[in-house]
Amino acid sequence: MKKKLLGLMLAATMAVGMLAGCGGSGSADTAADTSSDAAATEAPAAEAEAEAEAPAADAGAASGDLIKIGFAQVGHESDWRTASTKSCQDVFSEANGYDLQFVDCDNDSAAQLEAVRTFIESGVDYIIIDPIVATGWDTVLTECSDAGIPVIVIDRTIDDSDNYTAWVGSDFKNEGLAAGEWLKAYVDAKGISEVNVLVISGSTGASAQIGRSEGFDEAVAKYGWNKLDEQTGDFTEDGGQEVMESYCKSYAGKFNVVVCQNDNEAFGAMTAMDNAGISYGPGNDVILISFDACTAGLKEVQAGKITADFECNPLAAPFVEEAIQTLQSGGSVDKAIYMEEHWYALPDAIVDFSIDGAAQSMTEVTDAVIEAQY
Ligand code: GYE
């Protein structure tokens, strides 16, 4: 791949965002501009000023050449993941000028490191990583930067190195906080004074799990709720079912809230509760909270099974493409790009709440909303 040398390095930050992401909820807030929307997340102060320079080396494609991209995807564990993969494959198609090497790492961290090293060896122009776990990245990211290959991290974060060009994703702690603050407003509205929670968490060590747990646990501590247990369902339907089956045995009659850290776990938990004769959803014995709000999840909200669903937008690819195009023309991109998200319920479970003083609005699940979702 020939390098496109640019005499002029653009000093100004080129904002990446405002592309249509997903149905009705497709916009992004750059790290420097997160305050304008109630549903938008706060950028950590340290990142708000950060701005990535385009690495000097092989970031360019000669005109007519395809831009070579390696994408080390987490796996295929959930509806969310399927939407993320499809979005990347659609955006980074040959017709759009890309040569995409896609690796499904099947939730295996060692395989993911190996995939990145294979991309380096094959001389790709950019590497996209959705990190299975948040740590263990320092060495391989150094290898990428030594090879002059810009890395764009999507979705989950890398917490032990900032040696990458940009990250595009969601504020998982904010999602957990939203679930907690919503629950407080909902139980108050319904006159429920005892909150006994069971959590089915996502894959241990994934930043999506860490952030959602941290955010929700803040509410548990703040409101003095009783968290009975938290076990991982690995972000899968089978995992959710298995954990819920054991919860139904161990905590029979003792819980009234189940928090699943993604929709697929919630589907599994629903099967387990059905089998155990436990009713859930608005007006029933158990309040069921989920994250992701993919189409299938929203259908369960509409069916009165999931009480509230907290969105995580999987459509990062258009924002990544815009970042790559900016880098191609010698510009710099924001180090952290946050995607906007919404909180969903049926009218009975739509309550006012706020996160650290920022009022949140909830979206009613309708046919049109489901139709437009990923
Ligand atoms: O919530 C889950 C997926 O990293 C945000 O991974 C993502 C999570 C998502 O398997 O469904």
Side-chain angles (χ1 to χ4, degrees), residues 280-311:
Y280 49 87
N284 289 318
D285 292 344
V286 171
I287 297 165
L288 180 58
I289 295 175
S290 183
F291 294 86
D292 281 359
C294 288
T295 305
L298 291 186
K299 283 185 178 163
E300 298 300 349
V301 175
Q302 194 182 43
K305 304 286 184 189
I306 292 175
T307 320
D309 205 341
F310 296 83
E311 187 183 35

Side-chain angles (χ1 to χ4, degrees), residues 77-78 80-81 155-156 172 208 212 235 262 292 312:
E77 70 284 0
S78 64
W80 191 100
R81 192 63 53 200
D155 170 32
R156 301 179 185 177
F172 304 116
R212 288 170 189 166
F235 283 135
N262 80 345
D292 281 359
C312 182

Side-chain angles (χ1 to χ4, degrees), residues 30-46:
T30 62
D33 174 23
T34 57
S35 56
S36 58
D37 190 296
T41 57
E42 292 279 319

Side-chain angles (χ1 to χ4, degrees), residues 50-74:
E51 187 181 303
E53 289 299 320
D58 298 319
S63 75
D65 284 350
L66 297 176
I67 298 172
K68 284 163 87 178
I69 295 184
F71 174 27
Q73 173 64 295
V74 170

Side-chain angles (χ1 to χ4, degrees), residues 123-285:
V124 297
D125 300 303
Y126 295 91
I127 293 176
I128 303 173
I129 302 172
D130 189 330
I132 294 169
V133 289
T135 53
W137 287 98
D138 202 30
T139 307
V140 79
L141 288 181
T142 303
E143 291 166 27
C144 293
S145 65
D146 287 351
I149 304 171
V151 171
I152 300 185
V153 181
I154 65 166
D155 170 32
R156 301 179 185 177
T157 54
I158 286 177
D159 294 348
D160 61 352
S161 169
D162 63 358
N163 194 5
Y164 54 83
T165 301
W167 165 85
V168 183
S170 306
D171 184 336
F172 304 116
K173 182 171 179 194
N174 193 62
E175 293 169 4
L177 281 168
E181 294 296 347
W182 168 83
L183 179 60
K184 169 66 178 158
Y186 182 71
V187 294
D188 283 356
K190 300 291 170 197
I192 299 167
S193 54
E194 279 232 5
V195 176
N196 297 306
V197 192
L198 287 168
V199 177
I200 303 180
S201 56
S203 303
T204 308
S207 73
Q209 174 274 313
I210 297 168
R212 288 170 189 166
S213 292
E214 270 178 18
F216 188 76
D217 284 351
E218 269 191 25
V220 170
K222 187 168 156 191
Y223 300 119
W225 295 333
N226 181 21
K227 189 167 103 176
L228 297 160
D229 210 338
E230 171 162 347
Q231 285 176 32
T232 182
D234 231 357
F235 283 135
T236 64
E237 181 162 349
D238 286 353
Q241 183 173 342
E242 205 176 299
V243 173
M244 196 67 227
E245 276 164 1
S246 99
Y247 282 168
C248 287
K249 286 183 197 130
S250 315
Y251 302 102
K254 294 187 179 139
F255 62 95
N256 61 347
V257 178
V258 172
V259 178
C260 296
Q261 285 187 351
N262 80 345
D263 285 339
N264 295 81
E265 289 181 343
F267 306 152
M270 284 160 49
T271 306
M273 286 193 279
D274 287 341
N275 293 342
I278 296 167
S279 72
Y280 49 87
N284 289 318
D285 292 344

